[in-house]
Amino acid sequence: AMKKQFDVAGMSCGHCRRAVENVLNSIEGVKATVSLDPPVAEVEFTGTEISAGEMQNVFSEAGDYTLKER
């Protein structure tokens, strides 16, 4: 499996962290762990790699969070 890290903007508390992690883990083929300090999502792709843009589309449904590849 391939792993990548993404900077996450817009998180300010544990609730935000959980929301971001839940959204990422709802994407098929993605297993994510999100930390608040630093605000980083570590994503493991179990199938085809999904672009940051595609994941951002799902993100916009969850709130005002942005994802940027490190």
Side-chain angles (χ1 to χ4, degrees):
M2 175 185 275
K3 286 187 181 180
K4 282 196 170 182
Q5 287 190 333
F6 298 88
D7 290 317
V8 183
M11 295 189 303
S12 60
C13 64
H15 175 77
C16 295
R17 186 204 66 77
R18 281 190 304 278
V20 168
E21 193 170 86
N22 288 340
V23 167
L24 286 173
N25 284 315
S26 75
I27 301 170
E28 190 173 337
V30 170
K31 182 180 176 193
T33 305
V34 179
S35 63
L36 193 55
D37 187 20
V40 171
E42 185 163 303
V43 178
E44 184 177 329
F45 299 98
T46 56
T48 307
E49 182 184 336
I50 299 161
S51 73
E54 288 175 280
M55 289 191 287
Q56 183 64 54
N57 289 339
V58 176
F59 252 54
S60 54
E61 298 168 19
D64 196 20
Y65 307 113
T66 55
L67 199 63
K68 188 176 79 177
E69 195 169 333
R70 296 188 100 189

